[in-house]
Amino acid sequence: MSLINHYRKFLMGKLDLELDIVKCENNKIYTRDGRVVRDYLSQYGALPFGHNPDFCSQAVIEHLQRKAPVFTQPIFQRDTEIFAQELIDVLGGWAGHVTFTNSGAETVEVGFKLARIKTGRKKILSVDRSFHGKTYSALLATNSRRHNIEHLRNDDKNFDKVGLNDFAALERALESQQYAAFIVEPIQGEGGMHVADVAWLAHARELCSKYRTVLIFDEIQTGLGRSGGICVAQDIGITPDILLLAKSLSGGLIPTGAAVYTSAVSTPEFDRKHSSTFANNGLASCVGRAVIKQLSKDNGAALDHVKAISAQVDQCCARLTQQFAQIFSWRGAGLMRAFQFNDVQADANYIVTYLQNSGSLAWLICSYLLNRHQMLVMPLLSDKCSIRFEPPLNSCAEDIADFFAAIEQVCTLIKNGRYDILMAALIDKPYSELPGLEQAFPVVVAQQTAPTQHAGTGKKRGKTFAFLMHFTVVDDCVRMLPQCFQHNFTEQENRYLSSLIMEVGAVDTSPGVALKFSVSNEQAFADGMMIMSPIAPRDMMDLSAAEKENLIKDYIAVARREGAEFFGLGAYTSVITRGGEKMLDDIDDLSFTTGNSLTAIATTETVLEASGRNLIGDVISVIGARGAVGKLMVSELAHWGDNIILMGRPGTEKHLLQELLPSLCQLAFSGEQQALPGSVIDNIQRYVRQAMPAFADRIGVAPALSTADVAAVAERLVADDVVSSLGLSTCDCYKTALEQSDYVVSATSEGKPFLNTGFLKPGAIAIDTARPFDFIVQPGQRVQVLEGGLVIQPEPLRYGDCNMVGLPAGVNLACLSETIALAIEGCEGRFSVGKSIDYAQARYITDIARKQGFRPLGYPAPAPVVNKATSCESTANEEPLVELS
């Protein structure tokens, strides 16, 4: 674990982006293993002339050799005063004051403090997608989903946003006269390299002057050369009240920044109350002066050079845009660009679509450029799939040409579906072992795939839905890998890569859309999406309570952005929210389901079909009976069987009866469903009639008993010691239960296989609804372990190029099916919530599902097969098997 930043250290290491640096010079990074890497990142623009530029280094050496002052606070140094004047002069002479700082974020804070003191107002207006730093106020002004910390934003009422280049919104905001400052980046950096319209900026200047709002130009990235001029404000002829500088001002050697502002903004109060221990220091001043001198000498030759290679960049971008119109796009100006990549051919593949929408593909592209081409860039974190391009200002034409040749290769890889090459370095796969990048492997080749969006007319539109998913086992990820991996990686390599993806998912859980698809029947349709996180069940369970809450909030935030009206909790997203109960306050306006009702009913339907709908005389074990699915399965099976064993850990027997017996008593009185003679429900009814005449006349009469009466009946059954004679018992030994059971249904959140099928009674049928599966199948065994919770869909289609868990076309998980069925129906509200789902609601949901064309898979009675696997994980070949192998 890193002592500095474990998350970043881990991520960079796993993505093979770590460099053991021994030397940096100009645009080159030299590593201990002998690599020479060209730097196209420039420390996010903070290295105007690359690493350790000679003129800056010499200025530092000379300053230190003559023992010139460095820190003399509060005494001002002559060099600092000269530096301030030179800065004002090079900016055009409009300013009257400079406040030096130690970073860009601190410079932003100075700007806000100045504006608030001057105007007496508190509120700050900024721009959508803006980025102004990570100190507190700077972060509040930043409009970034990735960087903002929602639960700490208790002062965000003083920070508002408007859209970039939105004239009307800007005018409405500023005419309210409630803002101390309007802060804007002429070219948004982290926000996506979007360029502000000059006319819009000019209008902002007019409005700010009219309504006494301080106009702040944040040129921390754009200033001092990166845009091709000293600053954008000077180039476009607009004078802000405050201009913020940092990055390039440092020369890449020492942190420094400066807020440059007019005398109209200056106040004695600010001067009295503001200071900074390390600002105004002599060493930073000598470096800053060297940068200004370098930019100004030879009539601005350095700036002319920036304009020349920027024009070269424009030409390269235009060529790639034409050559790869659907794949490559760009934004920005000067040497400040975003390059965005998009694989439109992969919209039915979970992995590639997720990588694009989560931004992870950008990391992989950066890893490829580093390991294949020895070029350093980094993702643009606020964009779906973009990398940032900010080379040193003195980069040569050859550097630019080489970089775009590498980007052309990246575009070719995406066009040809060659994600195996992009990811080869992650598992140390030699590039020489892979086919050339010109050989194409279509990402999606599956037939019978649901459309991404409903195109027909005349059908009723249901609600747009989102299903929250994650990998449950490594095989899930292996199955979803693009075709190139199946052809060019070994099975072991694919599993290693998939394990790595899930390992990274444990640290960076960021959800993203993995698939968009449409489901329809003869009358209606609904468009929806899969929102995926690569985290595994055990890792999700190991998250802290706060991390679990944040993960679910991230899921929901994606669903909201994508316009979802209804969503379903898949796999362990239901477990960590206690069946949705823990997130009710966050989703007041959204309808949702856990999918647990249809999961339970579909599983019991398998048992009922296998038994011919007569379980009298059979022994049924339910493992995980305290969970939402397990409770419902017991409720259903109690109508059909007379010997149900509730399996639990040692010491939980009493709790099992306390939680389940009242529900069964309520069902016995409600008479919602006819019970088979001799079944548990029928036995309870008969015993009440015989032993509790005061309650006998309430059986089958609506409304059902009150909670207190139900509890009284359940307590009486326990007190009379008749529960086991009614057909309900508990057991804390899995071996004992399995050895005597004819049917075993399992639905736990154990997160790993733990039930040994070697203990199963000969001829017994086990139905495993858990994911990862609960059963461990011993090699060579002939057993029937069926996958539970499966539903036949309205159409024989896959959702994506492979169904999530490798099921054949037309069959899918019940939890997903419940989500879709309720969405097609147009239902509103909350369904299947909590650990104790109302049985009547479960039957209602099942009826809706059947109405919309979803029906439980049931029991197809396959012949037993010899299982060679060590656990019940679905195979990746999508054979139409229900039996687990």
Side-chain angles (χ1 to χ4, degrees):
M1 179 178 291
S2 173
L3 297 176
I4 303 171
N5 186 321
H6 173 64
Y7 164 77
R8 187 174 298 175
K9 181 76 172 179
F10 175 89
L11 190 64
M12 298 287 281
K14 291 299 180 181
L15 294 176
D16 210 14
L17 285 164
E18 280 278 87
L19 292 174
D20 189 357
I21 301 172
V22 296
K23 176 184 173 182
C24 294
E25 185 177 17
N26 298 323
N27 72 333
K28 292 184 173 60
I29 297 171
Y30 300 84
T31 66
R32 198 173 302 278
D33 59 3
R35 300 164 68 186
V36 181
V37 176
R38 279 185 281 185
D39 188 351
Y40 293 88
L41 181 65
S42 300
Q43 185 67 24
Y44 304 97
L47 307 178
F49 297 98
H51 298 270
N52 299 311
D54 290 339
F55 68 90
C56 283
S57 299
Q58 190 59 39
V60 170
I61 292 170
E62 291 176 358
H63 188 90
L64 296 177
Q65 283 181 339
R66 59 187 172 90
K67 306 295 184 181
V70 179
F71 299 117
T72 60
Q73 185 82 343
I75 299 170
F76 284 98
Q77 300 172 29
R78 181 174 180 275
D79 284 349
T80 305
E81 294 279 8
I82 295 173
F83 178 29
Q85 187 59 57
E86 290 176 349
L87 194 54
I88 288 172
D89 291 343
V90 80
L91 291 171
W94 54 268
H97 302 269
V98 178
T99 294
F100 289 112
T101 63
N102 301 287
S103 70
E106 185 185 330
T107 310
V108 171
E109 299 279 355
V110 165
F112 291 165
K113 186 188 292 188
L114 272 165
R116 283 170 162 168
I117 290 175
K118 179 63 181 180
T119 65
R121 302 169 182 169
K122 290 184 178 180
K123 299 193 73 171
I124 303 294
L125 184 66
S126 57
V127 181
D128 288 339
R129 295 190 302 259
S130 61
F131 181 84
H132 299 291
K134 295 178 183 176
T135 54
Y136 189 65
S137 292
L139 193 60
L140 290 172
T142 291
N143 196 25
S144 166
R145 296 191 304 270
R146 179 173 290 270
H147 297 296
N148 281 328
I149 306 172
E150 294 295 331
H151 63 282
L152 297 181
R153 298 183 64 185
N154 58 346
D155 189 36
D156 57 356
K157 63 181 180 298
N158 287 322
F159 291 83
D160 293 328
K161 315 292 186 297
V162 294
L164 183 70
N165 298 327
D166 188 331
F167 282 81
L170 181 64
E171 188 156 353
R172 282 194 304 271
L174 292 179
E175 69 183 3
S176 71
Q177 302 186 48
Q178 59 181 323
Y179 296 102
F182 171 51
I183 184 169
V184 59
E185 302 160 275
I187 303 172
Q188 291 184 326
E190 181 59 36
M193 306 299 181
H194 297 274
V195 181
D197 184 80
V198 174
W200 185 72
L201 292 174
H203 192 50
R205 173 67 281 176
E206 295 172 3
L207 292 171
C208 285
S209 298
K210 181 177 181 180
Y211 297 117
R212 298 186 302 107
T213 298
V214 175
L215 177 61
I216 303 175
F217 267 32
D218 181 346
E219 296 220 41
I220 288 167
Q221 278 199 67
T222 55
L224 301 178
R226 189 145 297 276
S227 65
I230 288 295
C231 66
V232 174
Q234 190 176 79
D235 285 349
I236 63 178
I238 296 176
T239 302
D241 298 302
I242 304 174
L243 180 72
L244 308 180
L245 300 171
K247 294 185 181 294
S248 289
L249 200 62
S250 72
L253 290 185
I254 182 168
T256 188
V260 184
Y261 49 99
T262 64
S263 297
V265 175
S266 175
T267 67
E269 183 181 2
F270 175 83
D271 289 347
R272 287 196 305 269
K273 294 182 177 180
H274 182 81
S275 64
S276 177
T277 300
F278 297 111
N280 304 309
N281 77 79
L283 196 60
S285 296
C286 85
V287 172
R289 293 183 65 192
V291 170
I292 292 173
K293 183 178 180 180
Q294 186 71 14
L295 290 171
S296 303
K297 75 175 188 178
D298 300 329
N299 295 318
L303 297 175
D304 290 339
H305 177 73
V306 172
K307 293 172 184 174
I309 59 172
S310 295
Q312 182 184 358
V313 171
D314 288 338
Q315 293 171 0
C316 293
C317 288
R319 176 175 57 82
L320 289 180
T321 301
Q322 184 176 16
Q323 187 177 352
F324 300 97
Q326 292 186 305
I327 294 173
F328 177 84
S329 59
W330 66 277
R331 296 182 303 273
L335 296 183
M336 193 172 168
R337 310 286 179 119
F339 301 142
Q340 189 167 40
F341 303 89
N342 181 39
D343 188 348
V344 296
Q345 303 175 92
D347 58 359
N349 181 265
Y350 288 83
I351 294 291
V352 176
T353 303
Y354 167 76
L355 291 175
Q356 290 189 146
N357 289 324
S358 67
S360 301
L361 183 57
W363 285 101
L364 295 173
I365 291 171
C366 293
S367 177
Y368 169 78
L369 290 171
L370 178 61
N371 290 287
R372 184 63 168 165
H373 296 281
Q374 313 303 317
M375 296 175 176
L376 177 64
V377 288
M378 283 290 150
L380 195 60
L381 297 178
S382 60
D383 233 356
K384 281 186 177 180
C385 188
S386 296
I387 64 173
R388 59 195 308 155
F389 176 73
E390 297 183 74
L393 307 184
N394 55 350
S395 298
C396 65
E398 182 182 0
D399 291 329
I400 304 301
D402 290 348
F403 181 80
F404 277 94
I407 293 297
E408 183 175 356
Q409 283 195 16
V410 170
C411 294
T412 301
L413 291 175
I414 294 174
K415 177 183 177 183
N416 291 340
R418 297 305 307 278
Y419 295 95
D420 56 325
I421 295 179
L422 277 178
M423 299 189 197
L426 302 187
I427 63 167
D428 297 321
K429 175 85 169 178
Y431 294 110
S432 59
E433 294 182 7
L434 298 170
L437 61 86
E438 298 81 9
Q439 185 169 343
F441 291 91
V443 174
V444 178
V445 295
Q447 304 299 315
Q448 295 177 282
T449 300
T452 57
Q453 192 171 17
H454 185 73
T457 58
K459 292 184 179 181
K460 176 187 173 183
R461 180 191 177 280
K463 292 186 177 297
T464 300
F465 64 89
F467 186 72
L468 314 187
M469 60 175 286
H470 61 94
F471 297 130
T472 56
V473 290
V474 170
D475 282 359
D476 289 347
C477 186
V478 171
R479 186 182 306 108
M480 295 177 185
L481 290 172
Q483 290 296 310
C484 58
F485 291 99
Q486 315 302 334
H487 288 277
N488 302 327
F489 278 25
T490 66
E491 180 181 353
Q492 183 179 3
E493 287 170 338
N494 281 329
R495 294 186 70 84
Y496 178 32
L497 176 63
S498 297
S499 297
L500 175 62
I501 291 172
M502 295 171 71
E503 191 178 352
V504 171
V507 175
D508 189 348
T509 60
S510 303
V513 174
L515 182 72
K516 290 191 175 182
F517 63 108
S518 183
V519 185
S520 64
N521 53 34
E522 293 182 358
Q523 293 82 32
F525 74 95
D527 294 326
M529 69 207 77
M530 305 285 194
I531 301 176
M532 185 172 77
S533 168
I535 191 170
R538 193 70 264 161
D539 294 322
M540 186 179 286
M541 294 296 288
D542 288 343
L543 295 174
S544 68
E547 289 170 329
K548 290 173 182 175
E549 181 180 353
N550 288 336
L551 173 58
I552 294 300
K553 285 182 176 180
D554 288 343
Y555 269 115
I556 295 171
V558 176
R560 288 186 189 279
R561 289 198 301 270
E562 295 293 334
E565 303 162 291
F566 193 100
F567 72 92
L569 296 171
Y572 280 58
T573 62
S574 176
V575 176
I576 67 171
T577 58
R578 203 168 57 205
E581 287 182 334
K582 288 187 176 181
M583 61 181 199
L584 296 180
D585 293 340
D586 299 320
I587 51 169
D588 290 340
D589 59 330
L590 288 178
S591 298
F592 81 97
T593 183
T594 64
N596 286 335
S597 291
L598 195 55
T599 299
I601 299 301
T603 301
T604 56
E605 188 68 16
T606 304
V607 178
L608 294 175
E609 287 195 13
S611 67
R613 298 191 179 277
N614 188 344
L615 292 166
I616 303 299
D618 291 324
V619 180
I620 311 159
S621 286
V622 180
I623 302 171
R626 294 185 69 187
V629 173
K631 285 182 180 178
L632 276 178
M633 291 195 299
V634 172
S635 295
E636 177 71 358
L637 294 170
H639 289 83
W640 304 90
D642 64 344
N643 195 342
I644 299 176
I645 301 174
L646 308 179
M647 273 298 311
R649 291 186 174 89
T652 64
E653 297 93 332
K654 182 179 179 181
H655 297 293
L656 282 167
L657 289 179
Q658 285 177 338
E659 293 186 26
L660 287 161
L661 195 54
S663 297
L664 297 180
C665 291
Q666 184 68 270
L667 289 175
F669 277 91
S670 69
E672 292 175 14
Q673 180 172 313
Q674 185 174 357
L676 203 65
S679 66
V680 173
I681 296 297
D682 181 62
N683 290 340
I684 293 174
Q685 291 172 338
R686 284 191 291 111
Y687 187 81
V688 169
R689 289 190 178 102
Q690 295 170 5
M692 290 177 273
F695 290 103
D697 60 347
R698 300 296 305 278
I699 294 175
V701 178
L705 293 184
S706 68
T707 302
D709 287 340
V710 168
V713 172
E715 290 172 4
R716 172 71 182 275
L717 295 178
V718 173
D720 290 351
D721 196 23
V722 296
V723 175
S724 59
S725 66
L726 299 177
L728 194 67
S729 61
T730 62
C731 181
D732 63 3
C733 177
Y734 296 119
K735 180 175 181 295
T736 300
L738 296 181
E739 286 175 341
Q740 61 182 305
S741 297
D742 299 289
Y743 298 93
V744 180
V745 290
S746 181
T748 79
S749 56
E750 188 69 23
K752 63 181 184 297
F754 69 100
L755 297 174
N756 192 329
T757 54
F759 298 141
L760 283 172
K761 176 182 177 180
I765 297 175
I767 301 95
D768 195 336
T769 307
R771 287 199 169 271
F773 294 115
D774 287 336
F775 278 97
I776 304 169
V777 180
Q778 300 302 317
Q781 280 188 304
R782 296 180 66 84
V783 295
Q784 285 199 71
V785 182
L786 308 180
E787 183 171 356
L790 300 182
V791 169
I792 298 174
Q793 309 298 290
E795 298 175 295
L797 301 173
R798 293 180 182 87
Y799 303 146
D801 57 356
C802 70
N803 278 332
M804 287 187 300
V805 291
L807 295 166
V811 178
N812 221 308
L813 297 176
C815 52
L816 171 63
S817 302
E818 181 173 324
T819 301
I820 299 173
L822 294 174
I824 293 178
E825 179 74 12
C827 292
E828 294 184 356
R830 297 159 180 177
F831 300 86
S832 306
V833 176
K835 291 186 66 175
S836 298
I837 300 169
D838 183 66
Y839 181 75
Q841 186 185 75
R843 299 304 315 183
Y844 168 74
I845 290 170
T846 304
D847 290 342
I848 286 179
R850 289 185 181 275
K851 171 187 173 184
Q852 297 300 341
F854 297 83
R855 54 190 176 88
L857 180 64
Y859 180 70
V865 297
V866 177
N867 293 279
K868 298 181 180 180
T870 57
S871 64
C872 300
E873 296 186 356
S874 295
T875 56
N877 58 10
E878 287 201 337
E879 291 297 321
L881 297 176
V882 180
E883 189 147 7
L884 299 178
S885 61

